[in-house]
Amino acid sequence: MQAVILVGGEGTRLRPLTVTRPKPMMPLVDRPFVAHQLAHLVRHGIHDVVFSCGYRPDALEAFFGDGTGFGVRLQYAVDPSPLGTAGAAANAVPLFDHTDDVLVLNGDILTDLDLVAFQAAHNAAGAQASVALTPVRDPSAYGLVRLREDRSVAEFLEKPTPDQLIPGEPFLINAGTYLLSQEVIAMIPAGRASSIEREIFPKVAAQGGLFGYPSDAYWRDIGTPQSYLDAHKDVLSNNVFTESTVRDAYLGPRTIVEDGARVVDCASVGADCVIAAGAQVIGSVLGARTRIGVNAYIEDCVIGEGVEVGAGARLEGLVVVGDNAQIGETVSIVGPASIDVGEIREVAVADPAGKGHS
Ligand code: GTP
């Protein structure tokens, strides 16, 4: 099998962290997120991979190169302009030297889906395209997929409203992992943006050629601050299989935790950080070269690289801090809130709208 990983989105929901890096380069514990996806492919014997890039491709290329260190032959396709998920996949496919079906992965999904079983079901059904499905309690933020008895897709409902849901039906959503035959790739319009899920799949479904593959494999979209934190908790408490063997909390190389400081509850701290005496880092993610001052308190926050948090400061409840920001001594911020890249915050500003943006 050959795989395209879609890594070209802007990652707007993870701003300001994605202002300075593409979402797939966001660390997940001890490596960039997309390195976990490559390892997942390699575990299934897939070694021929194209990164479909758009936004900020350089950081990916600088880290992964030709893929040798990661067990894959890695190539890069760069969208000339944002092509959407379908256009981007079609732009990547000519880089492969054979014309097998192509596995397409969204670059922000953490899953341990059995890709070999997925391909076997795709072949057994004689599908033109297959979409992995995952059950959720609330499908309102996702693409709900309705199946017939033979698992062919009867309907796709993007972000369904409550009145569109049928009581008692299984809420199976598009899990962002697809198998596309060359026939389907040929249906993708050249030279303009198009979406696999909104434009191509409804056409294939209308021809009876699209099949769903429901599974209860682990699945999480890491694209929001909350789900990004939750993904760390799942890796560090071994709820999902990854190559990361660290448990409980992660401290990057050369990071110093001074006397009386605590890094707990599935917190993850990048390289070259200092957590000063008496500081507490609870259930949070801190980027490389960040310094947390004496007795500061950080809970359920996502903090970028090179950030300085002053002594006695308190950040809690999904405060997202961009790279190189500075939070002054004793400043207290209760999220959800975001601090821009390089912003200097000396006094806490009340957030009357409660939206967390200031
Ligand atoms: P948000 O802006 O926060 O929604 O994130 P996003 O930009 O990643 O969008 P979304 O989650 O809908 O995208 C799903 C996957 O497709 C992600 O892995 C994106 O990187 C990728 N993607 C989305 N649009 C494009 C595109 O135009 N080109 C390429 N190459 N990849 C894309």
Side-chain angles (χ1 to χ4, degrees), residues 6-13 23 52-53 79 82-85 88 106-108:
L6 299 171
V7 292
E10 287 186 34
T12 52
R13 293 166 296 163
K23 181 166 56 176
S52 165
C53 309
D79 296 355
L83 290 174
T85 49
N106 278 358
D108 54 1

Side-chain angles (χ1 to χ4, degrees), residues 43-346:
R43 282 198 295 278
H44 289 86
I46 301 166
H47 301 276
D48 196 5
V49 182
V50 175
F51 276 166
S52 165
C53 309
Y55 179 71
R56 294 188 168 268
D58 305 357
L60 285 151
E61 208 158 351
F63 189 87
F64 290 101
D66 66 2
T68 309
F70 300 85
V72 292
R73 178 174 86 116
L74 184 58
Q75 302 181 82
Y76 299 81
V78 181
D79 296 355
S81 58
L83 290 174
T85 49
N91 190 45
V93 164
L95 292 176
F96 294 120
D97 4 293
H98 41 87
T99 53
D100 299 344
D101 294 354
V102 179
L103 182 72
V104 178
L105 310 176
N106 278 358
D108 54 1
I109 304 294
L110 182 64
T111 180
D112 58 10
L113 180 71
D114 182 338
L115 299 172
V116 172
F118 179 42
Q119 187 188 31
H122 170 80
N123 291 341
Q128 286 181 296
S130 293
V131 50
L133 305 174
T134 193
V136 293
R137 260 177 293 177
D138 175 11
S140 58
Y142 303 104
L144 178 72
V145 177
R146 291 194 173 120
L147 298 182
R148 300 187 189 91
E149 291 258 301
D150 66 353
R151 291 190 180 166
S152 61
V153 172
E155 199 175 2
F156 241 94
L157 272 179
E158 197 60 31
K159 302 197 171 60
T161 52
D163 58 299
Q164 292 178 302
L165 301 178
I166 303 166
E169 76 172 320
F171 295 146
L172 292 172
I173 58 148
N174 170 0
T177 302
Y178 316 117
L179 267 164
L180 308 182
S181 62
Q182 296 291 332
E183 217 177 330
V184 167
I185 289 160
M187 289 165 64
I188 298 170
R192 70 164 171 89
S194 59
S195 155
I196 294 179
E197 52 279 35
R198 284 189 286 277
E199 190 172 338
I200 305 304
F201 279 172
K203 284 186 195 156
V204 185
Q207 298 170 5
L210 179 62
F211 285 74
Y213 182 74
S215 89
D216 44 23
Y218 174 92
W219 183 88
R220 190 182 291 288
D221 164 355
I222 60 126
T224 67
Q226 181 66 60
S227 63
Y228 177 68
L229 283 180
D230 290 342
H232 281 80
K233 291 183 183 172
D234 288 338
V235 173
L236 289 167
S237 56
N238 208 17
N239 280 346
V240 54
F241 180 82
T242 68
E243 307 292 311
S244 300
T245 52
V246 190
R247 297 294 173 254
D248 303 325
Y250 171 70
L251 297 178
R254 301 171 300 281
T255 279
I256 296 166
V257 179
E258 291 182 359
D259 283 353
R262 298 196 309 150
V263 176
V264 295
D265 193 14
C266 299
S268 183
V269 180
D272 301 298
C273 296
V274 176
I275 315 296
Q280 299 194 56
V281 176
I282 303 169
S284 298
V285 177
L286 275 51
R289 299 181 304 285
T290 283
R291 303 177 73 86
I292 305 297
V294 172
N295 292 333
Y297 180 94
I298 316 282
E299 182 170 11
D300 290 334
C301 293
V302 186
I303 293 183
E305 296 186 358
V307 171
E308 299 213 2
V309 175
R314 192 174 174 99
L315 306 181
E316 59 191 304
L318 282 185
V319 181
V320 181
V321 183
D323 290 358
N324 302 318
Q326 294 176 35
I327 314 290
E329 291 184 7
T330 72
V331 167
S332 172
I333 306 172
V334 178
S338 67
I339 310 290
D340 285 339
V341 174
E343 185 176 339
I344 299 175
R345 184 66 70 93
E346 291 295 350

